[in-house]
Amino acid sequence: MSYAYLHMVASRAGFGCEVSNRHLDNAAADAVVREDGRRLDPGSLLTSFDLHVQLKATARPPIFQAGYFPHRLPLKQYNRLRSIRVYSPRLLVVLHLHPDPARWLEHGEESVSLWGVAYWMSLKGASASANRSSQTVYLPSHQVLSVDSLTRLMTRVSRREEIVHESRTTGVRPGESRQSGRD
């Protein structure tokens, strides 16, 4: 479902989108969003580039705390997403689906509806975790993955701007010490 969401948003924005190969999947990239040919902005330096996306989906309603909601990642994925030694930018995208699976996809003769909303964040440059198996990250509620936000992200990539982890969205909730809540 998360890939379908990403594919619809990317297609509507005019970008290519494909499921990644096994090698990229092992590198914490489930999908690749591509631009090949357009100059997205007068400041664009690139017209052909990729954005790698780690996709997650959950039917648990997001519990927003001070504008963020938690999502637990396996430590291996967290570490790969926070790496600064990658060329193509990587994002974490978490799709929140309706708690009732029967509502995830509704269709009829006139329309098809996917019930959900996805949020994104960059973990590039995030702090190392002291945990052993997983790390909880806190996605900002204002970073909804939409046609407009994906276009803005891809435009930033075309200008060779880094999309890095913001310190206020570290792997711990604002105001929480790094030592609390070890996994």
Side-chain angles (χ1 to χ4, degrees), residues 39-163:
R39 187 175 179 134
L40 298 176
D41 182 78
S44 293
L45 301 171
L46 304 173
T47 58
S48 182
F49 54 91
D50 297 342
L51 174 68
H52 296 183
V53 181
Q54 174 68 55
L55 296 165
K56 299 293 180 190
T58 181
R60 293 183 187 159
I63 300 169
F64 293 102
Q65 302 165 359
Y68 298 86
F69 69 88
H71 186 81
R72 187 174 300 238
L73 286 175
L75 193 57
K76 186 176 181 179
Q77 287 179 351
Y78 175 77
N79 285 331
R80 288 192 170 151
L81 288 169
R82 71 181 198 83
S83 175
I84 59 170
R85 295 180 177 218
V86 295
Y87 184 74
S88 295
R90 294 180 182 171
L91 295 181
L92 170 63
V93 172
V94 179
L95 174 65
H96 282 274
L97 295 161
H98 194 281
D100 179 3
R103 302 265 327 264
W104 292 357
L105 181 66
E106 297 175 348
H107 56 86
E109 290 182 27
E110 306 258 336
S111 68
V112 173
S113 297
L114 175 81
W115 195 102
V117 62
Y119 300 87
W120 68 271
M121 76 179 302
S122 171
L123 289 168
K124 184 176 185 175
S127 301
S129 175
N131 301 335
R132 293 187 184 123
S133 62
S134 64
Q135 177 63 49
T136 300
V137 296
Y138 292 83
L139 287 94
S141 60
H142 68 275
Q143 291 184 176
V144 174
L145 186 68
S146 65
V147 172
D148 290 340
S149 68
L150 182 60
T151 301
R152 285 191 302 273
L153 286 163
M154 293 294 278
T155 300
R156 288 177 63 189
V157 175
S158 79
R159 293 189 304 235
R160 288 196 167 163
E161 293 177 20
E162 284 196 306
I163 303 168

